[in-house]
Amino acid sequence: MVFRNVIVCHMVPGSDKIVGDVFGHYDRATRPQDLGVIGRILLSHHDLYIHVIEREQDPRISGQTRGLPAFQKIAEAIGPYVTPYPRYWKNPSDSVAKEFYHWAPEGEPPAETALTVIVGRIKPGAEPDVARVFGESDAGSLPTELGVTGRWLYSIDDVYVHLLEQKAPVAEATRNNHGAKPLFAKVMQDLAPYISPYRPEEWHGPQDSLATVFYRWRAED
């Protein structure tokens, strides 16, 4: 199972390519895998920048806790476009979202999976309630119906980030029609007191909560 960290910042809308090109350059020029990083996904959602860092192992276990190669140069290059999100921000570690729920079915994960990143706003202090809702749902049949192979929930300030991993063929087939399932509708209803759209005025349905991938990198060795 891949270990993931999630970084959340503000980003100037429309700067996706500039930021992606910076990471593309340094991912080619350096070897992030030497520090245990095996993958990277950059996403945007309105004015949010979401950086999913993938590792083979939790750095607290592996001991590979150093930052990315050329971290300072990357920070300087994207500085005009990417800025801290949390109001309490004092140092880079304050941009790392906190995982508050994780679930995966028993058994070996399938070889081909698809990762979807869902973004919203979370009511302050509601993490235990949100974890309870998903815990009850994940104990039932809905994850199997939707081909879910992993779920990770994070929060940072008032931002909620949901990493949903599914069997690739099922993910594509259910992307636009899972809302028709009564069990899914119940989860959405139970979450309503705690989770709301990031931009309510621009939200028309669950598809409007999906973050957009603008850069991917995977280690080849």
Side-chain angles (χ1 to χ4, degrees), residues 4 6 41 43 50 52 54 113-119 146-154 160-168 170-176 178 184 206-213 216:
R4 296 182 173 99
V6 176
I41 308 170
L43 309 97
I50 300 164
V52 180
E54 299 184 330
T113 60
L115 184 70
T116 301
V117 178
I118 302 160
V119 183
L146 297 179
V148 177
T149 58
R151 187 191 314 281
W152 297 261
L153 306 183
Y154 302 81
Y160 160 81
V161 180
H162 178 171
L163 270 56
L164 177 65
E165 191 176 72
Q166 295 171 280
K167 297 177 182 177
V170 181
E172 188 62 30
T174 62
R175 189 175 302 278
N176 295 317
H178 56 271
F184 178 84
Q207 70 279 2
D208 294 324
S209 293
L210 303 183
T212 302
V213 176
R216 288 182 185 269

Side-chain angles (χ1 to χ4, degrees), residues 11-50:
M11 186 169 72
V12 176
S15 59
D16 303 33
K17 185 178 187 308
I18 297 172
V19 175
D21 286 347
V22 170
F23 277 97
H25 169 75
Y26 285 105
D27 283 337
R28 291 189 300 269
T30 65
R31 287 181 53 84
Q33 57 266 50
D34 290 343
L35 296 178
V37 177
I38 61 170
R40 183 189 326 288
I41 308 170
L42 303 185
L43 309 97
S44 61
H45 186 69
H46 298 294
D47 65 334
L48 289 181
Y49 159 91
I50 300 164

Side-chain angles (χ1 to χ4, degrees), residues 30-102:
T30 65
R31 287 181 53 84
Q33 57 266 50
D34 290 343
L35 296 178
V37 177
I38 61 170
R40 183 189 326 288
I41 308 170
L42 303 185
L43 309 97
S44 61
H45 186 69
H46 298 294
D47 65 334
L48 289 181
Y49 159 91
I50 300 164
H51 182 168
V52 180
I53 302 171
E54 299 184 330
R55 300 174 183 268
E56 290 183 338
Q57 192 176 26
D58 185 336
R60 291 171 296 184
I61 297 174
S62 67
Q64 293 177 308
T65 57
R66 289 178 55 200
L68 301 175
F71 172 82
Q72 190 59 41
K73 291 181 179 178
I74 293 172
E76 291 173 359
I78 68 174
Y81 314 101
V82 177
T83 55
Y85 183 88
R87 290 163 288 185
Y88 50 78
W89 194 92
K90 293 182 180 179
N91 57 65
S93 64
D94 291 332
S95 290
V96 179
K98 306 299 187 295
E99 181 184 309
F100 66 90
Y101 178 80
H102 171 215

Side-chain angles (χ1 to χ4, degrees), residues 179-190:
K181 293 182 177 294
L183 290 176
F184 178 84
K186 183 181 186 306
V187 172
M188 296 298 290
Q189 181 180 350
D190 292 346

